[in-house]
């Protein structure tokens, strides 16, 4: 019943149902007539399904869901629910979004605004963040839902709590940084910039947000089956090893001429991407996938990818190797409805597309063709299959080519796990 509150609940702990139950109680007390949900596009349909599932089981509870409908009309004696795509706030004029904004402005005292996956507004500089904070200003009841407000550094939390209320941190981002963020001035050939290197005064930060924050991890609220991690090592074929080593030599040679200069991140990442391209076309990785699927013939499998060229290769190979299996591909502009993939036997998915918000707990085998550097992607993708309601062991397989960049990524993620 508080005016602003943060549910920082781990993936799979039931944030959606907590928010829906609170909206129902506020409606029963005649405090809320409108519920507005802002969520990533891939989750909007899931919200609609969760609303119907939850509220249909409550006797004599009246509600109406509006999603992608051009005309908004409030119905008396019903909880009027509107679902918005968070990406719409990054774009230009949108008639539906404009009408919901107008609705929140006129019905601000009886509106509950829920921002799902609130880390999507972690940057105060983005247009999306500014538009969402502006749209929610004046709404009486506001909630943020996320596994954690901090995904990279404590600076991420400022915009999310700023969305909830101007009174939690009643000062600008620069002052917040001065109080809680350790920064360092860096230089590159184009000038200087300030980067975050750590946090400070965390006891003060915690005391400020504690009254309006509830946090819990899935391990603390339910007994779930085991996670089983396995690393499968492979060797590059002689021809690919030769190409890989030549690329490494070229990379080192190009760096040698910049001994006293800083290496820019885009330069390094473009080289790393080329390393991945060589590894991803090696037969040993695809043979490892075959071995894993042979071990789990009766289980549903997700193959996680990080590059589009890997998706194209698996799209060509899998139908030949698994002709009797139902196979789906998500990523690279594929328009498949992400909420209807559980009838598949094998799901091939780009991590950037499917690592947030989806409930894929019927898939109990996860194969990582390769990993990304992002700890957030690692945790989020693993949580798609390990959620509240999971009843059998969940397997995670990492396919790692020996003496390649795969090993470096594994080591980086291991160090980040210790940090988390």
């Amino acid at each position: 019943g508080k005016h602003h509150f943060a549910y920082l609940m781990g993936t799979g702990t039931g944030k959606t149902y907590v928010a829906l139950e609170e909206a129902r109680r506020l409606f029963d007390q005649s405090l809320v007539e409108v519920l507005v949900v802002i969520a990533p596009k891939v989750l909007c349909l899931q919200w609609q399904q969760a609303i119907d599932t939850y509220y249909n089981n409550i006797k004599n509870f009246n509600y109406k869901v509006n999603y992608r409908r051009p005309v908004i009309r409030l119905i008396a004696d019903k909880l009027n629910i509107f679902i918005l795509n968070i990406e719409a706030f990054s774009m230009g004029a949108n008639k539906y979004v404009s009408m919901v904004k107008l609705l929140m402005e006129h019905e601000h005292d009886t509106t509950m605004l829920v921002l799902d996956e609130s880390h999507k507004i972690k940057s105060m500089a983005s247009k999306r963040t500014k538009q969402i904070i502006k749209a929610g200003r004046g709404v009486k009841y506001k909630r943020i839902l996320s596994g954690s407000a901090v995904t990279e550094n404590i600076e991420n939390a400022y915009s999310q709590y700023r969305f909830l209320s101007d009174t939690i941190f009643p000062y600008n981002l620069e002052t917040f940084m001065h109080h809680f963020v350790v920064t360092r001035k860096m230089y590159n050939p184009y000038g200087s910039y300030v980067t975050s290197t750590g946090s400070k005064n965390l006891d003060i930060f915690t005391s400020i947000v504690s009254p309006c924050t509830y946090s819990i991890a899935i391990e603390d609220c339910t007994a779930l089956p085991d996670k089983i991690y396995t690393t499968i090592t492979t060797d590059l074929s002689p021809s690919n090893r030769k190409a890989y080593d030549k690329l490494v030599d070229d990379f080192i040679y190009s760096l040698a001429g910049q001994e006293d200069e800083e290496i820019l991140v885009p330069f390094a990442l473009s080289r790393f991407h080329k390393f991945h391209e060589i590894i991803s076309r090696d037969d040993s990785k695809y043979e490892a996938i075959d071995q894993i699927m042979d071990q789990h013939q009766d289980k549903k499998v997700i193959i996680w990818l990080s590059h589009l060229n890997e998706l194209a290769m698996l799209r060509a190979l899998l139908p030949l190797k698994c002709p009797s299996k139902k196979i789906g591909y998500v990523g690279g502009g594929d328009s498949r409805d992400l909420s209807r993939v559980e009838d598949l036997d094998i799901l091939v998915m780009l991590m950037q597309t499917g690592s947030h918000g989806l409930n894929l707990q019927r898939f109990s085998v996860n194969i990582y063709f390769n990993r990304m550097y992002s700890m957030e992607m690692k945790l989020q993708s693993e949580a798609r299959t390990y959620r509240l309601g999971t009843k059998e062991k969940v397997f995670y397989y990492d396919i790692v080519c020996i003496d390649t960049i795969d090993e470096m990524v594994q080591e980086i993620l291991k160090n980040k796990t210790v940090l988390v």
Side-chain angles (χ1 to χ4, degrees), residues 191-225:
S192 63
Y193 62 96
V194 175
T195 184
S196 303
T197 60
S199 307
K200 59 184 178 181
N201 299 323
L202 286 178
D203 53 339
I204 299 174
F205 175 86
T206 303
S207 66
I208 291 172
V209 302
S210 288
C212 61
T213 302
Y214 174 74
S215 180
I216 196 167
I218 192 166
E219 294 83 4
D220 300 327
C221 62
T222 186
L224 287 175

Side-chain angles (χ1 to χ4, degrees), residues 6-7 57 81 108 123 143 145 184 186 189 210 232 237 264 275 355 377 387 411:
Y7 288 115
N57 289 326
I81 304 171
H108 55 85
S123 172
R143 304 288 179 265
L145 312 182
R184 181 183 173 191
M186 305 287 285
S210 288
I232 296 178
S237 65
L264 298 181
F275 293 143
S355 61
M377 287 286 187
R387 307 171 64 82
E411 187 63 26

Side-chain angles (χ1 to χ4, degrees), residues 270-333:
S270 67
R271 299 307 187 276
F272 293 161
H273 183 68
K274 289 181 179 179
F275 293 143
H276 278 301
E277 283 184 353
I278 293 175
I279 298 168
S280 67
R281 62 174 183 250
D282 196 83
D283 289 342
S284 62
K285 286 230 173 187
Y286 301 98
E287 290 168 3
I289 291 175
D290 283 345
Q291 293 171 13
I292 295 167
M293 291 201 290
D294 284 343
Q295 293 177 35
H296 302 282
Q297 293 184 0
D298 58 335
K299 298 186 183 299
K300 291 176 176 285
V301 176
I302 299 180
I303 303 175
W304 294 97
L305 311 173
S306 57
H307 297 97
L308 279 171
N309 63 304
E310 299 160 1
L311 185 70
M313 290 180 184
L314 283 168
R315 194 187 285 269
L317 288 172
L318 281 177
L320 300 176
K321 292 183 177 290
C322 309
S324 62
K325 301 280 189 180
K326 291 182 180 178
I327 307 171
Y329 307 89
V330 175

Side-chain angles (χ1 to χ4, degrees), residues 16-32:
T16 301
Y17 295 110
V18 170
L20 292 177
E21 174 60 15
E22 191 178 11
R24 183 191 70 81
R25 293 186 187 190
L26 290 170
F27 174 78
D28 287 345
Q29 297 171 47
S30 299
L31 297 174
V32 161

